[in-house]
Amino acid sequence: MGLVVVIITVLFVAVFAILNLMRGAGAQVSYSDAHVRSLAIAESGVNLLVSRLMDATWEDRWFRDRPDFHGSPVACEGGNFIYAIQDTPGASFTVDIWVRGEYRSTRRLLFYRVKYEDLLFKGLTSPGFSFTADLPETAAAGSLAAPAVDSLTAKMNDLVDRKAQTRGAAADRWEEIADQVNPTAILTTLGANVPTAGIPARSQAPAGVSTAVAPRPKEPVPAGGRSNLPNYDKGKLWDWIGRQGFDSEYAAYLHGVAIRNFTEIDVKSALEKYSQAERQFKAFLRFLFRHALRVQALRTQARLRYEAACDELDAQAASLTPEEYQARKAALLSAYRQELASIVNANPAP
Amino acid sequence: MMVAFFVLGMLMGGCFQLFSFFTGKQVANISARFQLQMEVRRALVNLYGEAQEGIEVLKPDPGSTLPYLVLRDLVNDLHLIFLRKDDKLTEKNGSDTFRLWSVVYNIEKGTCREPHEILSGIRTMNFTAHGFGSVVVSGTLQEGQARYSFLNMIRLKNVFSEEGK
């Protein structure tokens, strides 16, 4: 009888142990599965919202008057998602989308900053995602309503700023290692604290098939798949400057600035200092597109004020002696010239 | 009664031994493969976490395949994902076996974070890039005699984030 009890006990313990082990293995698979599913659910939510956004004109977006904090779960693929969508604070034609996908107990929170496209086909097939982030599960725990979303938006803005600030540094660092073909050399260059023995640099391949990789030629660093330097077209820029209606004096100034910048960009490109050339090109474009037109507007306002003052002076000419008239006219011209110079000096070209 | 239980126990034990003899190898093989599959799924989730927020694939160059991956993430930090030979597993398996590691270079501080392991028991692993915006990951895991191969593509979601700037 004792033997039977022992056998049954051993069998019971063995079965229990096996079931427990299987449950542990199953839990890992379930976690991976739930993670991928919650991500897919959140992505589906983003796509639905982007489709709805692009479906209407910018003025007719459904959250124009107030953000849409949709806290009630939308069923999707065996799970659900909630979302928040609002205009990007301080930006036009840009939308912030937050979607939290949930599958069983796993949650993923996705952030997408989307540039509104006024072209339905392009908007739907290739939406302009200007920034995306996948937040950890801890960040996905809270609700997607006003104070929480504001805090999350501030975090995203910090990341966007950090990205903008470090772009040049990344390009410079990458230029140092772009032509390395050995990960050991890259690790050493980056100063990683990793034992470098036994790190393969080539892919395994059948005998007779070479997997040797030639060093990458030094070329402009791609930014998001492409560099700005391929867009470096002097002819187009001359054409653009000519079409903006700059007054002749400021147009001459811009021509001088353009020639100087083009020469420096060409020299830097010839010396393979592509990141420096790209940065200068970007700065020059930023000056042209953001400052030059505004400077011209200020100059035009100054000219209109000067012309109005001259007209007023002409109206009073009969009561003035010729010398007084000439002196006041010269003073007006001098003040006008000084104002023009101060406007240009306040917006210096790179 | 006891004799009957004893005989029944002996019979059950014998049957179990016979069952184990005929199915043991297959069961062991299936279990090992199941284990490898789980490992791959877990590692792919980690790899997605490393790569999917990236802006661009820096290595391999488009059109080439390498056993390592360098990418720029959403804040321009550089991620280097590479293999390193595991001597113990190499000896155990009788063929070169690697572990997959990741190092992140913080571009702001100019320093690397401590490397962390993503996957072990790798017989081969390759990263293939067809462009700057995605990477195909392929590989084979080995555990004893069991092998499990996988193929996956990771698309970088911030690839368009610098367009037009």
Side-chain angles (χ1 to χ4, degrees):
Chain A
M1 190 67 186
L3 186 63
V4 175
V5 172
V6 169
I7 288 171
I8 289 171
T9 307
V10 168
L11 278 172
F12 180 76
V13 168
V15 168
F16 183 77
I18 288 167
L19 281 177
N20 228 14
L21 283 171
M22 284 176 71
R23 196 181 304 148
Q28 282 189 40
V29 175
S30 298
Y31 172 76
S32 300
D33 185 53
H35 176 92
V36 174
R37 278 175 185 259
S38 57
L39 202 56
I41 288 165
E43 293 276 11
S44 301
V46 171
N47 287 330
L48 284 169
L49 291 169
V50 170
S51 303
R52 191 176 167 194
L53 171 68
M54 301 300 174
D55 190 36
T57 61
W58 175 249
E59 287 71 26
D60 292 336
R61 64 195 185 283
W62 77 96
F63 53 90
R64 188 179 70 172
D65 299 325
R66 59 182 174 280
D68 181 7
F69 299 133
H70 195 93
S72 48
V74 180
C76 178
E77 298 292 333
N80 64 67
F81 66 86
I82 60 170
Y83 65 83
I85 183 166
Q86 64 178 4
D87 290 359
T88 303
S92 56
F93 292 98
T94 311
V95 168
D96 283 358
I97 297 176
W98 299 89
V99 178
R100 190 182 75 194
E102 185 169 352
Y103 184 81
R104 292 185 180 161
S105 59
T106 306
R107 291 171 169 176
R108 303 298 306 176
L109 178 59
L110 298 185
F111 169 73
Y112 278 79
R113 184 158 285 175
V114 188
K115 194 84 181 160
Y116 178 80
E117 300 277 359
D118 207 8
L119 299 164
L120 179 64
F121 186 71
K122 186 174 184 299
L124 290 175
T125 56
S126 178
F129 295 137
S130 60
F131 191 77
T132 73
D134 179 2
L135 282 86
E137 194 153 356
T138 46
S143 68
L144 285 181
V149 167
D150 291 346
S151 159
L152 289 168
T153 303
K155 280 181 190 167
M156 291 301 105
N157 286 339
D158 287 347
L159 290 180
V160 172
D161 290 345
R162 195 176 148 198
K163 187 185 93 168
Q165 285 160 9
T166 54
R167 174 68 185 88
D172 289 344
R173 205 76 180 108
W174 179 242
E175 232 170 60
E176 293 170 19
I177 51 180
D179 52 0
Q180 306 274 9
V181 292
N182 194 325
T184 308
I186 296 175
L187 284 166
T188 307
T189 308
L190 294 179
N193 181 26
V194 181
T196 50
I199 297 177
R202 291 182 189 182
S203 299
Q204 290 182 12
V209 177
S210 170
T211 57
V213 179
R216 177 179 179 153
K218 276 210 165 186
E219 58 186 20
V221 177
R226 53 192 65 95
S227 159
N228 273 305
L229 278 182
N231 300 323
Y232 175 47
D233 187 333
K234 295 176 207 168
K236 277 187 182 170
L237 284 169
W238 288 128
D239 186 43
W240 185 87
I241 291 171
R243 281 189 287 106
Q244 301 309 310
F246 294 120
D247 63 61
S248 56
E249 189 181 275
Y250 194 53
Y253 170 80
L254 290 179
H255 271 76
V257 168
I259 288 170
R260 178 165 52 77
N261 273 276
F262 289 159
T263 307
E264 287 175 12
I265 291 167
D266 288 342
V267 168
K268 284 171 182 167
S269 297
L271 293 172
E272 296 184 345
K273 297 184 181 302
Y274 295 116
S275 63
Q276 288 181 23
E278 187 177 348
R279 271 209 295 280
Q280 178 155 4
F281 182 49
K282 273 186 177 174
F284 179 56
L285 288 181
R286 199 180 304 124
F287 167 74
L288 277 186
F289 298 151
R290 288 191 191 165
H291 298 289
L293 291 172
R294 192 166 56 83
V295 166
Q296 181 56 51
L298 292 172
R299 287 174 67 92
T300 304
Q301 286 168 12
R303 182 173 55 80
L304 291 174
R305 280 196 300 276
Y306 167 68
E307 286 173 357
C310 284
D311 288 346
E312 198 178 328
L313 182 65
D314 287 344
Q316 299 169 0
S319 61
L320 299 171
T321 62
E323 290 76 21
E324 279 177 334
Y325 175 78
Q326 288 300 333
R328 285 176 69 174
K329 192 155 192 176
L332 284 177
L333 180 63
S334 170
Y336 170 55
R337 301 294 314 163
Q338 278 182 8
E339 188 177 2
L340 289 184
S342 67
I343 291 169
V344 173
N345 291 338
N347 296 277
Chain B
M1 182 74 175
M2 271 189 67
V3 174
F5 268 119
F6 181 74
V7 171
L8 185 66
M10 292 297 286
L11 275 173
M12 282 176 70
C15 289
F16 183 75
Q17 284 296 324
L18 278 172
F19 181 76
S20 301
F21 180 78
F22 287 114
T23 62
K25 273 190 179 177
Q26 284 87 336
V27 169
N29 206 10
I30 288 168
S31 297
R33 282 189 180 186
F34 181 63
Q35 183 69 30
L36 291 177
Q37 188 182 1
M38 280 197 316
E39 279 294 306
V40 167
R41 292 180 72 149
R42 187 186 58 77
L44 281 174
V45 166
N46 289 341
L47 261 180
Y48 269 100
E50 290 266 349
Q52 67 172 358
E53 290 178 303
I55 295 173
E56 67 175 327
V57 174
L58 297 169
K59 276 188 185 298
D61 294 320
S64 63
T65 297
L66 287 171
Y68 63 95
L69 168 72
V70 185
L71 61 91
R72 184 156 64 91
D73 75 4
L74 77 170
V75 288
N76 288 317
D77 288 349
L78 302 178
H79 291 236
L80 173 57
I81 295 165
F82 60 98
L83 297 172
R84 200 168 71 212
K85 195 170 169 182
D86 184 319
D87 292 332
K88 282 184 183 170
L89 283 176
T90 297
E91 195 179 328
K92 182 184 165 193
N93 292 335
S95 59
D96 284 352
T97 308
F98 302 90
R99 287 176 187 267
L100 186 69
W101 290 83
S102 170
V103 163
V104 181
Y105 177 78
N106 186 315
I107 202 78
E108 256 188 340
K109 295 176 182 169
T111 54
C112 283
R113 285 179 220 149
E114 279 302 303
H116 67 271
E117 188 184 313
I118 299 177
L119 184 61
S120 67
I122 300 166
R123 184 169 166 77
T124 61
M125 191 158 183
N126 289 309
F127 300 93
T128 301
H130 298 300
F132 295 109
S134 64
V135 62
V136 176
V137 185
S138 60
T140 301
L141 260 64
Q142 182 167 8
E143 171 74 44
Q145 295 304 308
R147 288 183 186 177
Y148 180 79
S149 296
F150 62 95
L151 179 71
N152 221 290
M153 191 176 95
I154 302 174
R155 184 174 60 87
L156 274 54
K157 296 202 292 188
N158 272 305
V159 72
F160 298 114
S161 70
E162 289 192 350
E163 268 201 345
K165 287 199 176 177

